[in-house]
């Protein structure tokens, strides 16, 4: 559901450019967009404003000012304020008692690059839709990786199960939550259903429908990575597999990311708002983390983003990292 545009946003939106009519129609058709007659005019103006910002950014990229490109995706008709409200749902709470601290194994040799997708640890990119349930997708992605590590079986796990059933721990479904509380729920509940048996609905249900007959995983708790240390984070990824992380994704540069290595100088390392999954790391002309998002394959690089690595914990990628423990 869209929120109302502020008076400032309405007045500051650019006038409708008739030369963009065909472009607008193609974009709406590609992303299956439909609007009420009274809304389409405002959406068109927001879309044009975003288009101009993206074109300017990419021009600056071609001049060497930025390390990444932006693109007109399915969020192009949304203001930054709408985007933050609807798509970002990381909401941390106090630490839970079952958590331990990650300790790297002795004599660990960390590879220069690593991508757990090539080893079978990662399910296809999912879509949280218009629901701030990123925390649940971050958690299931990490649970799926740990299950594969333990059993060599890749099973897509249920975000809706987490959303409907972990509220007593403080998670709030489409209004946000925390991966660590998701792990706490799986630990206390004695399991989590598969995606197939408990499919995602992108909405909050008032009832928990967990069925132990379809339980796909059991965990013994979770472990946290020392906060702020990209070195420890790299060692954890290399040792354990995909890791759940939280980042600052509040900038329109992230909203419209398309390719390249994302570095945002205005990113906060403390004000985190979005849960994602770290699946590896690599380097080109600069080091980067390989991050799986939950905004469908229409966003970013087929649903992924390369985020700057070893640049003072940019966007807080190493601030709150964790994984479930399976014994």
């Amino acid at each position: 559901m869209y929120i109302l545009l502020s008076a400032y946003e309405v007045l500051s939106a650019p006038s409708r450019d008739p030369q963009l009519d065909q472009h607008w129609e193609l974009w709406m058709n590609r992303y299956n967009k439909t609007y009420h007659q009274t809304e389409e005019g405002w959406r068109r103006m927001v879309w044009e404003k975003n288009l101009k910002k993206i074109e300017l950014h990419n021009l600056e990229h071609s001049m060497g000012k930025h390390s990444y490109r932006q693109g007109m995706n399915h969020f192009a008709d949304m203001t930054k304020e709408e985007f933050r409200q609807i798509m970002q749902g990381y909401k941390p709470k106090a630490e839970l008692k079952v958590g331990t601290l990650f300790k790297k194994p002795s004599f660990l040799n960390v590879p220069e690059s690593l991508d757990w997708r090539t080893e079978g640890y990662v399910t296809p990119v999912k879509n949280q839709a218009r629901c701030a349930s990123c925390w649940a997708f971050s958690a299931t992605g990490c649970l799926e990786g740990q299950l594969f590590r333990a059993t060599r079986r890749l099973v897509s796990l249920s975000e809706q199960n987490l959303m409907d059933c972990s509220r007593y721990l403080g998670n709030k479904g489409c209004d946000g939550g925390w991966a660590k509380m998701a792990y706490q729920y799986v630990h206390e509940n004695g399991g989590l259903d598969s995606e197939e048996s408990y499919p995602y609905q992108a909405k909050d249900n008032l009832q928990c429908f967990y069925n132990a007959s379809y339980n796909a995983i059991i965990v013994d708790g979770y472990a946290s990575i020392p906060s702020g240390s990209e070195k420890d984070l790299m060692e954890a990824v290399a040792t354990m597999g995909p890791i759940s992380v939280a980042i600052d994704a509040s900038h329109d540069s992230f909203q419209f990311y398309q390719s390249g290595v994302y570095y945002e100088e205005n990113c906060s390392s403390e004000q985190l708002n979005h849960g994602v999954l770290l699946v590896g790391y690599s380097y080109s002309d600069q080091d980067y983390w390989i991050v799986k998002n939950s905004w469908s394959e229409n966003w970013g690089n087929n649903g992924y983003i390369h985020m700057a690595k070893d640049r003072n914990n940019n966007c807080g990628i190493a601030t709150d990292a964790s994984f479930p423990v399976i014994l």
Side-chain angles (χ1 to χ4, degrees), residues 59-304:
L59 175 61
E60 293 175 342
H61 170 269
S62 68
M63 300 168 65
K65 187 175 180 179
H66 305 291
S67 58
Y68 62 97
R69 288 181 56 83
Q70 294 182 347
M72 290 289 283
N73 55 34
H74 52 306
F75 300 130
D77 60 348
M78 296 172 67
T79 68
K80 181 162 57 177
E81 290 71 21
E82 280 183 292
F83 184 75
R84 289 177 179 176
Q85 179 176 322
I86 296 173
M87 300 305 299
Q88 297 164 1
Y90 163 83
K91 294 182 179 179
K93 303 294 181 182
E95 281 286 344
L96 305 177
K97 294 181 180 179
V98 295
T100 59
L101 195 65
F102 167 74
K103 294 182 180 179
K104 69 175 182 179
S106 301
F107 310 109
L108 173 65
N109 292 317
V110 178
E112 286 188 350
S113 61
L114 179 68
D115 187 344
W116 287 114
R117 292 175 296 181
T118 65
E119 303 298 323
Y121 279 65
V122 185
T123 57
V125 172
K126 301 181 183 183
N127 185 6
Q128 69 186 68
R130 303 180 71 80
C131 169
S133 54
C134 59
W135 60 274
F137 286 85
S138 177
T140 56
C142 202
L143 286 160
E144 290 160 357
Q146 289 304 300
L147 179 62
F148 182 85
R149 180 172 180 263
T151 67
R152 295 295 147 176
R153 293 186 299 110
L154 185 63
V155 179
S156 184
L157 299 174
S158 174
E159 295 81 22
Q160 196 69 46
N161 186 172
L162 295 175
M163 292 166 61
D164 293 345
C165 306
S166 67
R167 286 181 173 271
Y168 74 96
L169 287 167
N171 286 330
K172 298 180 180 180
C174 282
D175 289 326
W178 196 21
K180 290 177 181 177
M181 284 187 287
Y183 304 146
Q184 174 91 342
Y185 162 74
V186 180
H187 171 69
E188 293 183 0
N189 186 58
L192 182 71
D193 283 345
S194 67
E195 187 89 60
E196 182 180 8
S197 64
Y198 201 147
Y200 184 63
Q201 296 176 294
K203 68 177 184 178
D204 292 323
N205 293 315
L206 299 179
Q207 184 178 352
C208 173
F209 298 99
Y210 170 76
N211 187 334
S213 299
Y214 301 109
N215 174 35
I217 186 172
I218 296 175
V219 305
D220 295 277
Y222 71 84
S224 297
I225 317 302
S227 182
S229 172
E230 292 189 72
K231 180 177 181 294
D232 286 320
L233 181 57
M234 181 173 69
E235 292 170 346
V237 175
T239 305
M240 302 305 302
I243 300 292
S244 173
V245 297
I247 58 173
D248 175 12
S250 62
H251 304 275
D252 51 17
S253 57
F254 193 92
Q255 180 178 346
F256 298 116
Y257 168 84
Q258 186 176 68
S259 62
V261 178
Y262 180 78
Y263 175 79
E264 173 57 70
E265 61 181 9
N266 295 315
C267 250
S268 171
S269 61
E270 300 296 332
Q271 302 299 317
L272 312 180
N273 46 57
H274 187 50
V276 289
L277 184 69
L278 180 57
V279 303
Y281 55 87
S282 189
Y283 65 94
S284 51
D285 54 335
Q286 58 181 310
D287 292 352
Y288 60 85
W289 299 105
I290 306 171
V291 177
K292 180 187 182 185
N293 204 351
S294 52
W295 294 344
S296 86
E297 293 183 347
N298 289 324
W299 179 86
N301 186 1
N302 295 315
Y304 283 83

Side-chain angles (χ1 to χ4, degrees), residues 46-64:
V46 171
W47 178 86
E48 287 192 25
K49 187 176 181 180
N50 285 329
L51 175 62
K52 286 180 169 58
K53 287 192 295 184
I54 290 170
E55 288 177 339
L56 176 59
H57 174 94
N58 288 341
L59 175 61
E60 293 175 342
H61 170 269
S62 68
M63 300 168 65

